[in-house]
Amino acid sequence: MSDVADRVKKIVVEHLGVEEDKVTESASFIDDLGADSLDTVELVMAFEEEFGIEIPDDAAETIQTFGDAVKFISDAV
Amino acid sequence: MFDLNGKNALVTGASGGIGGEIARVLHKAGATVALSGTRVEPLEALAAELGERAHVLPCNLSDGAAVDALPKQAVEAMGSVDILVNNAGITRDQIFMRMSDEEWDSVINVNLTSTMRLCRGVMRPMMKARWGRIINISSIVGATGNPGQVNYAASKAGMVGLTKSIAYEVASRGITANCVAPGFIATAMTDKLTDDQKDKINTQIPAARMGTPEEIAAAVLYLASPDAGYTTGATIHVNGGMAML
């Protein structure tokens, strides 16, 4: 697993309080990991800080799963 | 009770009678305060009176870019904004039939839109901190209406709806959002009224007198305090019984 994926997973695990093995490629933050809409905003904020990037709102809306997040961030950094 | 030591508060309209007293009371409870307003002199005078833990941050609330910059300036000055008091407001009274777009827009912009912008500006760090207090100063006329104040009443009622919606969204993050709605308060503005006008006003108030800025500030102090953590989306009416809502 890439360095980006590791760091993203760490944030997701810490923020949502879920088991690491639940955070799979296709795991949806809201449907599978129990996030509410505010959690997703906070996750995006945490990603922005961790990776020093800006994630515009329209892009943030497309980040639904752990895999989406890793892909977006990998492309952005 | 109502200990604000270690908390940082941004107060708009701090050059006015009510805003200045809010800043004084929060400061007295231990908060560091950022005093904002358009007139620098009264802000400087208040900061000098308060001494330590007071910062002056002039801002023209009709300038959207300046409003967006204000929370950042407050964070630079104090380290954070834990308490936001949107107190600044203007009136441009006019009979509704004659009200111009400009009179409408200017009041909505300064009173309502700047409140939204400042709330938005402080939200991210408050969410991260899992603590925040937003206190918006509405008005009795936002609930009762008032002839000649279609724009002002709409802006003040708008603040209530804005505050409640924010309260819903962020309650789970330790952030509260509330309104204080003053009735008639004795300030420099009401000093200009004649005794006859004042008497007429007082007859409509069960308490038979105008309120004081201290009585508004006391409600703000409560809502700003850690003790008010379970009070959110509320409007505290401080009006001497003039409207019992």
Side-chain angles (χ1 to χ4, degrees):
Chain A
M1 193 178 271
S2 70
D3 169 57
V4 169
D6 279 342
R7 286 156 71 190
V8 171
K9 183 175 279 192
K10 186 160 177 285
I11 290 169
V12 173
V13 166
E14 276 176 13
H15 191 88
L16 299 179
V18 292
E19 297 293 328
E20 210 175 310
D21 56 11
K22 293 260 201 276
V23 186
T24 59
E25 180 89 11
S26 61
S28 157
F29 293 122
I30 290 176
D31 295 333
D32 301 317
L33 302 176
D36 63 19
S37 58
L38 213 49
D39 287 319
T40 61
V41 173
E42 288 185 311
L43 280 174
V44 166
M45 279 161 46
F47 298 153
E48 286 179 332
E49 254 169 52
E50 171 75 18
F51 296 97
I53 55 173
E54 284 278 332
I55 304 177
D57 287 346
D58 52 347
E61 278 170 30
T62 68
I63 300 176
Q64 305 277 339
T65 66
F66 173 66
D68 293 340
V70 173
K71 180 168 188 314
F72 182 91
I73 294 163
S74 300
D75 291 346
V77 291
Chain B
M1 234 184 177
F2 306 155
D3 179 7
L4 299 184
N5 273 298
K7 302 294 186 197
N8 298 318
L10 169 60
V11 181
T12 69
S15 49
I18 293 176
E21 192 56 34
I22 290 169
R24 267 189 207 98
V25 165
L26 298 182
H27 185 268
K28 194 178 171 193
T32 297
V33 291
L35 312 169
S36 190
T38 41
R39 293 173 295 140
V40 178
E41 262 179 42
L43 295 176
E44 295 281 4
L46 179 57
E49 175 197 321
L50 296 178
E52 287 179 12
R53 296 185 283 112
H55 305 267
V56 172
L57 300 176
C59 182
N60 177 0
L61 292 184
S62 58
D63 175 350
V67 176
D68 281 337
L70 182 58
K72 296 181 193 105
Q73 292 162 353
V75 168
E76 276 165 26
M78 303 188 292
S80 67
V81 177
D82 309 303
I83 300 161
L84 169 65
V85 184
N86 284 301
N87 163 73
I90 60 168
T91 55
R92 296 284 300 277
D93 295 359
Q94 177 66 275
I95 294 295
F96 177 54
M97 286 173 65
R98 292 200 182 129
M99 185 165 286
S100 67
D101 286 1
E102 198 277 329
E103 284 163 340
W104 170 266
D105 288 341
S106 60
V107 170
I108 295 294
N109 271 341
V110 171
N111 296 6
L112 185 58
T113 306
S114 78
T115 295
M116 181 280 294
R117 284 178 184 273
L118 292 177
C119 289
R120 191 174 59 189
V122 301
M123 197 52 70
R124 183 182 279 232
M126 280 185 182
M127 295 249 292
K128 287 193 71 177
R130 291 288 190 271
W131 202 92
R133 295 284 184 267
I134 289 171
I135 299 140
N136 294 327
I137 307 303
S138 180
S139 165
I140 186 174
V141 307
T144 63
N146 202 27
Q149 294 199 307
V150 164
N151 48 4
Y152 184 76
S155 74
K156 292 300 179 177
M159 287 172 89
V160 172
L162 171 151
T163 305
K164 290 178 178 178
S165 302
I166 291 173
Y168 259 111
E169 285 196 18
V170 297
S172 64
R173 301 307 195 262
I175 303 167
T176 69
N178 294 284
C179 285
V180 173
F184 273 101
I185 304 302
T187 62
M189 206 163 30
T190 55
D191 284 346
K192 289 183 202 149
L193 300 171
T194 64
D195 283 347
D196 196 39
Q197 285 173 313
K198 284 183 198 166
D199 286 344
K200 263 191 194 145
I201 289 168
N202 288 343
T203 59
Q204 301 168 36
I205 306 172
R209 65 171 178 86
M210 290 193 195
T212 65
E214 289 81 357
E215 287 164 330
I216 302 303
V220 174
L221 172 62
Y222 162 65
L223 292 172
S225 72
D227 307 272
Y230 203 56
T231 302
T232 195
T235 300
I236 300 186
H237 291 273
V238 184
N239 60 31
M242 193 174 177
M244 303 193 190
L245 302 161

